Amino acid sequence: KKSSGAADFLSSFKVADIKTSTGEEDKTFWERLIPEQERPQKEAEVDVYIPRAARMAAPVSYAEEQIAKNAFAEEEKKARKPKTASKKKKQPSANGKIKVVKHALHSVVEWDGGPLGYGTTEARAFLNSIRRFHNHAKVLKDVSEENSFFANLNEDHIRQLSDLLDEGLEKTMEVHLSQTSQKAAAAEDGGGGGPAGAKKEDGGDGGDGGVEKKEKKEKEKDPTLGFYGNAIRVKETKNRLVELRAVDEMVGKMDDLGKFRIGGAMLPRAPVWARKCQWTPKDDAMILVGIYKHGFGSWDKMLGDEALGMGKIEASVEPGTKNTPEAHLHVRANALLRRLREVKQGTRSMASGPGRQLGPPRGSGPPRRKAPRPPPGSGKVPRARKAGAAASAQAKQKMKKGPPPTVKEILGTEEIRATLKKIKVLQDGTKPVTKEFKMKKMKLYLSRVGHHIESVARENGFGEKEEEEVWQLAAKKSRLTDGTRMKTIFKRLQG
């Protein structure tokens, strides 16, 4: 019964048999009806990406095989999906946008009369160039190659940006010094009344060692200036600007740069690798010439300049080490620039300068009378030894200070001369500036000149007459009416 039911079920389907004219079945009919090239091709299953254990082991069941393939397909899909978290976003063009600098004591974000579109990216390009060159024409050429924004600007725009940078550096240092003095005053007020002060009076430590270390760390900290969204270390930047100005003054006045040399006091100690390549003081001078021509940091250009003769430094590099000729040039250039700045600022005296006064040779004075020594065990120090030590200290102090500077020498520094010249330009009215901009600049320049005159007068013990002479000369050089009035305005600005 079962077999007859199945036969009846199958007979209900109509099946077409294709036969030839002779009555035989044609098995090649379907192959001839659809050519092989037009048949749908079955995609071959590639099991290469399946784990080796899954490929080698035979599937237990059809469901298990499908589950394994689906799991692997999900992992492959996740792997192909791009990772948005680790992918860095492209920074859009600045278009005049300015970022906020955290922990900046002062920020410069306005350029009065400047072109539109000056933002963080353009300011970064300017800072890179101003750290390489001092000459404004070279700065403009260098920054134009880095950023197309400066292609249509001129040297006057670079001068304005340089003034803005100088003003921002000075303002940041004023805020930093004010905060430092306030912290020191607060520490002194709060340190005497507590138990720490009592321990100190009794002769104990009082825990002040940690406070002193903390104060030293705060003093060594370099304040931060925000210049159009770029964080700048103030002391480091000021030192670099002074160094590049010194190089421009010394090398720029030479007609033949190949004859430029520097004195013995300006030469730091020779480096360790100097003997390996026969390094001489002439090569040190050529480093400064290279900085003047190609800019600080352009070591590859300096090495390729045959007029400088820097090729010998390659002999100083030992094979198998991380040292390179560029690294040696960088370290040596920093040492030379640091020494130039110290000599220019007066923190390091010249070995044979004109202002150095030498004392009389030893033994040329009258013979000294020996004072009687106190009896042994008395614990008394001979009076002659005390007086001799005090006189020696006074003599050393006099030799260190030297003669007081003249009025012209006080106002003859590069920074003060440039400031007086800026006041003179503002007084002439040659530049079309607004009244608010003029008042702002005059206040800044008068404060700078006044602080300088007061500090010099205080250090050398000037009276009112000598200080008045300095103010009169400052007024004459800046084309102001009277030095007394100039001093009065400065006092009013100080409040």
Side-chain angles (χ1 to χ4, degrees), residues 85-156:
S86 60
K87 188 176 181 181
K88 294 183 179 179
K89 295 182 179 180
K90 293 183 179 179
Q91 295 183 355
S93 58
N95 293 327
K97 295 182 181 179
I98 300 174
K99 299 179 181 179
V100 179
V101 180
K102 295 182 180 179
H103 311 297
L105 300 183
H106 178 69
S107 295
V108 180
V109 294
E110 294 181 0
W111 183 2
D112 295 338
L116 298 176
Y118 186 78
T120 302
T121 306
E122 291 77 17
R124 188 183 303 114
F126 167 73
L127 291 172
N128 292 337
S129 297
I130 204 68
R131 289 189 182 108
R132 286 195 285 262
F133 295 99
H134 172 72
N135 186 276
H136 292 156
K138 295 180 179 179
V139 172
L140 178 61
K141 181 181 178 181
D142 183 69
V143 74
S144 299
E145 296 175 355
E146 184 175 350
N147 195 304
S148 59
F149 173 81
F150 297 88
N152 298 325
L153 303 188
N154 52 35
E155 293 183 27
D156 190 46

Side-chain angles (χ1 to χ4, degrees), residues 349-408:
S349 61
M350 300 285 289
S352 57
R356 186 178 181 186
Q357 296 181 353
L358 299 177
R362 254 187 186 181
S364 60
R368 296 181 180 180
R369 295 178 59 187
K370 292 185 179 181
R373 296 194 175 191
S378 61
K380 295 182 179 180
V381 180
R383 187 180 300 175
R385 190 185 300 176
K386 289 183 180 180
S392 176
Q394 291 178 1
K396 288 181 179 179
Q397 192 69 16
K398 287 182 180 180
M399 289 179 63
K400 186 177 180 180
K401 285 186 176 181
T406 62
V407 177
K408 291 184 178 181

Side-chain angles (χ1 to χ4, degrees), residues 259-489:
K259 295 181 180 180
F260 174 75
R261 298 292 183 272
I262 51 180
M266 297 184 182
L267 285 175
R269 183 180 297 177
V272 180
W273 44 263
R275 292 184 179 180
K276 299 177 183 178
C277 60
Q278 303 299 321
W279 194 261
T280 63
K282 177 186 175 182
D283 300 316
D284 286 330
M286 290 301 103
I287 289 181
L288 300 182
V289 173
I291 294 174
Y292 175 77
K293 291 173 62 177
H294 306 292
F296 182 85
S298 301
W299 314 124
D300 52 347
K301 294 182 180 179
M302 293 171 61
L303 290 171
D305 193 345
E306 296 181 357
L308 301 177
M310 293 291 169
K312 64 164 67 176
I313 200 173
E314 296 182 359
S316 65
V317 179
E318 297 181 358
T321 61
K322 295 183 179 180
N323 296 328
T324 60
E326 291 82 2
H328 285 170
L329 280 178
H330 179 80
V331 174
R332 190 59 179 171
N334 276 325
L336 290 169
L337 292 178
R338 190 186 310 114
R339 181 61 61 88
L340 284 183
R341 171 170 48 85
E342 292 173 352
V343 172
K344 184 178 179 62
Q345 293 178 344
T347 55
R348 181 182 291 273
S349 61
M350 300 285 289
S352 57
R356 186 178 181 186
Q357 296 181 353
L358 299 177
R362 254 187 186 181
S364 60
R368 296 181 180 180
R369 295 178 59 187
K370 292 185 179 181
R373 296 194 175 191
S378 61
K380 295 182 179 180
V381 180
R383 187 180 300 175
R385 190 185 300 176
K386 289 183 180 180
S392 176
Q394 291 178 1
K396 288 181 179 179
Q397 192 69 16
K398 287 182 180 180
M399 289 179 63
K400 186 177 180 180
K401 285 186 176 181
T406 62
V407 177
K408 291 184 178 181
E409 290 175 350
I410 294 172
L411 302 178
T413 61
E414 181 66 23
E415 184 179 5
I416 299 303
R417 278 192 300 169
T419 305
L420 293 175
K421 188 176 180 181
K422 292 174 183 177
I423 297 176
K424 181 180 176 182
V425 171
L426 288 176
Q427 288 294 109
D428 293 343
T430 54
K431 287 186 178 181
V433 295
T434 61
K435 186 177 179 181
E436 293 79 7
F437 180 78
K438 184 177 180 180
M439 292 296 296
K440 182 180 178 182
K441 290 295 182 181
M442 285 293 289
K443 289 180 181 179
L444 173 67
Y445 299 151
L446 281 177
S447 299
R448 190 178 299 173
V449 174
H451 283 303
H452 176 72
I453 294 175
E454 280 192 346
S455 63
V456 174
R458 195 184 307 113
E459 290 176 1
N460 295 277
F462 283 176
E464 294 183 1
K465 185 178 179 181
E466 290 86 353
E467 189 175 350
E468 191 70 24
E469 290 179 3
V470 180
W471 279 107
Q472 292 294 342
L473 182 60
K476 183 179 178 181
K477 289 192 172 186
S478 57
R479 287 195 179 177
L480 293 174
T481 55
D482 186 21
T484 306
R485 186 182 176 189
M486 187 178 180
K487 181 180 178 181
T488 306
I489 296 173

